[in-house]
C-alpha cells in the first residue's frame, strides 16, 4: 500500500513538473505576435464552423491569446478562454480590451478542467489542445464539459502539413517526450480524432483545409522568425545550444523544409494544412 501511495505521489509530482515545463515553453518568445501575424483568420474559421451565436456559452480550451475566443465573443457568445500559460492569457486580455470585447480569462489545465459537467454549449480549441501531452485525458475533459447536444469544434495542424513536418524535423533535436505523451500532430489525423471522441459524439465532420502564409520572402526568414518567437522552436534550440554542429543541422533542416513548401524567393507563399473538426455531443 505504501509503495502504491508513493508511486501515485511520484506521478503527481511528475505531472506538475511537466505542466510547469509546458507553461514555461509557451511563455518563451512572442507567440501573441506570431498568432496575430501568421494565422489570425483561423480562430474565425473555427467559430464559424461551430455556428457560435448570440447567447451561446462557449469554452475555448488552450485558447492562447484568444485567436478563437475573441471572435466568439464578438459573435455575441458568453465566452471563457482557458489556457495553461498566464502570459498568453494576459496578452489576450489586453487584445480583447483594445477591441472592446468582454470575456472571461481563466488559467486552466486542458487535462483537468475546473468546470462542471455539461457546462458549455460549445467547447472548442484552435491549434491548442493538440499540444496537451495526454490526448485521451484531454479528449475526455473537453467532452465532459460540453452539454449533451452541444458542439465540439477543433482545428489542428496535420502531420503531413507544414507545421506537422516542422515538428518532425525538430524531434531529433528535442528532449525525449515524457512517458505517455503523444505527438501533437496526431490530433490532425482523422482516425486518431475519431478514436479519441468515439461514441461520445454524433454528426462528426472532418475536413482538411489550408491557411496561406506569405510573410517570408526566403526560407531562412521563416527559420529565423520561428527561432525568435515560437516557444517550441526556441526550446529545441536551447536543448542543443552547446552543440554548434547540431544547431547548424537544424538550421539547414528548417530552411530546407520552408523551401520545399514554397517559402522561397519569388514564391506565392506557403499553404499550411490543418484538420477542421466539428461534432455534436451525444446524449
Amino acid at each position: 500500500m505504501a509503495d502504491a501511495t508513493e508511486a501515485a505521489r511520484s506521478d503527481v509530482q511528475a505531472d506538475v513538473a511537466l505542466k510547469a515545463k509546458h507553461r514555461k515553453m509557451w511563455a518563451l518568445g512572442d507567440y501573441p505576435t506570431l498568432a496575430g501575424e501568421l494565422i489570425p483568420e483561423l480562430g474565425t474559421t473555427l467559430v464559424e464552423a461551430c455556428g457560435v451565436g448570440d447567447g451561446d456559452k462557449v469554452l475555448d480550451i488552450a485558447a492562447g491569446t484568444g485567436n478563437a475566443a475573441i471572435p466568439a465573443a464578438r459573435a455575441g457568445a458568453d465566452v471563457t478562454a482557458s489556457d495553461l500559460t498566464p502570459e498568453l492569457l494576459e496578452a489576450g486580455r489586453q487584445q480583447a480590451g483594445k477591441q472592446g470585447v468582454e470575456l472571461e480569462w481563466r488559467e486552466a489545465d486542458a487535462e483537468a478542467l475546473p468546470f462542471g459537467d455539461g457546462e458549455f454549449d460549445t467547447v472548442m480549441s484552435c491549434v491548442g489542445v493538440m499540444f496537451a501531452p495526454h490526448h485521451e485525458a484531454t479528449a475526455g475533459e473537453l467532452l465532459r464539459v460540453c452539454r449533451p447536444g452541444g458542439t465540439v469544434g477543433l482545428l489542428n495542424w496535420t502531420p503531413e502539413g507544414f507545421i506537422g513536418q516542422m515538428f518532425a524535423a525538430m524531434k531529433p533535436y528535442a528532449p525525449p517526450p515524457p512517458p505517455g505523451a503523444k505527438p501533437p500532430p496526431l490530433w490532425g489525423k482523422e482516425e486518431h480524432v475519431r478514436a479519441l471522441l468515439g461514441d461520445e459524439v454524433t454528426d462528426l465532420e472532418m475536413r482538411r483545409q489550408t491557411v496561406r502564409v506569405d510573410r517570408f520572402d526566403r526560407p531562412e526568414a521563416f527559420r529565423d522568425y520561428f527561432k525568435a518567437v515560437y516557444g517550441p522552436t526556441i526550446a529545441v534550440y536551447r536543448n542543443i545550444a552547446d552543440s554548434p554542429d547540431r544547431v547548424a543541422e537544424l538550421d539547414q533542416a528548417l530552411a530546407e523544409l520552408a523551401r520545399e513548401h514554397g517559402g522561397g524567393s519569388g514564391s506565392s507563399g506557403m499553404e499550411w494544412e490543418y484538420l477542421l473538426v466539428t461534432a455534436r455531443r451525444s446524449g
Side-chain angles (χ1 to χ4, degrees):
M1 185 65 176
D3 289 344
T5 301
E6 185 61 33
R9 184 181 297 113
S10 178
D11 288 344
V12 170
Q13 292 173 342
D15 189 62
V16 169
L18 175 60
K19 298 304 166 58
K21 182 179 179 181
H22 274 230
R23 189 179 293 111
K24 181 179 179 181
M25 179 184 72
W26 285 108
L28 294 172
D30 190 359
Y31 185 77
T33 292
L34 183 152
E37 291 183 345
L38 303 187
I39 55 171
E41 65 267 47
L42 289 189
T44 299
T45 296
L46 179 60
V47 168
E48 292 177 350
C50 291
V52 172
D54 191 44
D56 289 342
K57 191 170 184 181
V58 175
L59 174 65
D60 185 6
I61 307 175
T65 57
N67 200 12
I70 292 175
R74 195 181 298 118
D78 175 9
V79 181
T80 299
S82 68
D83 198 275
L84 189 66
T85 305
E87 291 87 346
L88 297 184
L89 293 173
E90 180 57 31
R93 187 181 290 110
Q94 292 179 14
Q95 182 64 26
K98 291 177 182 177
Q99 298 184 30
V101 178
E102 293 186 4
L103 61 154
E104 180 182 0
W105 302 87
R106 183 87 174 266
E107 186 175 342
D109 180 357
E111 298 179 2
L113 294 170
F115 307 111
D117 295 356
E119 188 170 334
F120 297 93
D121 301 309
T122 296
V123 178
M124 63 183 185
S125 184
C126 182
V127 293
V129 295
M130 63 180 294
F131 293 104
H134 306 110
H135 295 190
E136 287 77 9
T138 302
E141 281 294 273
L142 70 88
L143 290 167
R144 179 184 66 79
V145 300
C146 185
R147 68 166 176 80
T151 299
V152 172
L154 304 168
L155 193 155
N156 300 315
W157 302 120
T158 67
E160 300 83 3
F162 179 76
I163 297 298
Q165 289 298 298
M166 183 188 74
F167 274 93
M170 294 193 302
K171 183 178 179 180
Y173 305 92
K182 294 182 178 178
L186 279 179
W187 276 94
K189 289 186 73 70
E190 291 87 348
E191 57 268 32
H192 187 66
V193 173
R194 189 175 290 110
L196 287 173
L197 301 183
D199 59 7
E200 296 295 323
V201 300
T202 62
D203 304 323
L204 177 62
E205 296 185 8
M206 296 184 282
R207 60 182 182 272
R208 294 189 178 214
Q209 299 180 175
T210 61
V211 58
R212 177 176 292 275
V213 176
D214 57 7
R215 186 186 190 280
F216 307 109
D217 58 0
R218 54 193 180 87
E220 294 78 12
F222 153 78
R223 179 198 65 208
D224 294 344
Y225 182 92
F226 267 65
K227 286 176 68 173
V229 305
Y230 191 52
T233 304
I234 295 170
V236 170
Y237 272 98
R238 287 187 176 183
N239 185 58
I240 58 173
D242 60 351
S243 178
D245 289 345
R246 300 196 77 202
V247 170
E249 288 175 3
L250 183 54
D251 277 348
Q252 182 177 353
L254 292 180
E256 184 57 34
L257 178 66
R259 185 175 294 108
E260 291 172 357
H261 282 258
S265 178
S267 75
S268 59
M270 294 183 279
E271 297 285 344
W272 294 2
E273 185 182 65
Y274 58 86
L275 182 69
L276 182 62
V277 179
T278 58
R280 189 74 57 192
R281 180 72 164 91
S282 300

